[in-house]
Amino acid sequence: MATIADLLSEGSIDLSLVAGNKDDAIERMADLIDASGALIDRDVLIKAVHAREDAGTTGLGDGIAIPHGKCDGVDRPALAFARSDEGVNWGAPDGSLANLVFLIAVPEAAAGNEHLRILASLARSLVKADFRNRLMAATTPQEVRQILAGISA
C-alpha cells in the first residue's frame, strides 16, 4: 500500500520556508512540486490552488495548512511539504500561523477519491500534537519522509 511519503521526493521538502504571505508560500510550494517531477504547468497548478483558497481557507489551525489543487498542471498525484519557523498567515479559524504546510496536487482525472484520501490521511495524523512536534523537530528531508511513511495514502 502506498504511503504519504511515496508522494514526496526529498526535493519536494523545504524545512526552512520563508514566505511573506500565503501567496508567496503557494509559489514556493509549486516549485517543490516541480522538484517531484510531476509538474506539467506551474501556472495552472498555482491558479487551481488559489481558486481553492478563494472558496475557503485551507488553514486548519494548530499551525497547519493543507492547500490543494485539482488540475491538469500535474501528471500524477504529488505532495510538497514546507516548514516555516516564523509561520505563514493562512487565515486559520483559530488565528494560528501555519508552520506545517502540505500542498496536494492531483490531476483533474484523479481528483475524486485520490485527493480526498490523501487529505483525510494527512488531517487524521496532523491532529495529533506528537506527530506535529516530530515534523517540527525533523532536521532532514529523509527524516520527514520516515515520519510520513507511516501514513497510508
Side-chain angles (χ1 to χ4, degrees), residues 5-151:
D6 295 331
L7 300 173
L8 277 170
S9 68
E10 289 180 16
S12 61
I13 299 170
D14 181 350
L15 297 177
S16 57
L17 176 68
V18 177
N21 55 48
K22 77 176 173 180
D23 292 339
D24 292 345
I26 290 168
E27 297 262 341
R28 174 64 181 134
M29 301 298 287
D31 293 338
L32 295 174
I33 293 291
D34 192 19
S36 76
L39 189 67
I40 296 171
D41 189 319
R42 183 176 188 272
D43 291 336
V44 168
L45 174 59
I46 290 170
K47 284 179 188 172
V49 173
H50 281 295
R52 173 56 188 88
E53 289 296 324
D54 290 345
T57 185
T58 58
L60 304 180
D62 288 327
I64 303 162
I66 309 179
H68 43 281
K70 300 179 282 187
C71 65
D72 292 323
V74 292
D75 63 3
R76 65 181 182 277
L79 185 67
F81 169 71
R83 184 178 68 207
S84 171
D85 292 334
E86 300 82 25
V88 178
N89 183 353
W90 221 277
D94 68 358
S96 69
L97 299 179
N99 302 102
L100 303 172
V101 182
F102 288 89
L103 174 63
I104 303 169
V106 295
E108 191 68 46
N113 293 338
E114 185 79 17
H115 168 258
L116 295 175
R117 188 171 48 247
I118 295 166
L119 185 59
S121 293
L122 274 173
R124 272 193 305 272
S125 296
L126 288 165
V127 297
K128 300 171 188 164
D130 63 321
F131 184 80
R132 293 190 309 270
N133 291 338
R134 288 174 49 213
L135 286 172
M136 286 301 294
T139 58
T140 65
Q142 298 87 352
E143 190 176 351
V144 170
R145 290 189 79 243
Q146 287 174 336
I147 293 166
L148 297 174
I151 305 172

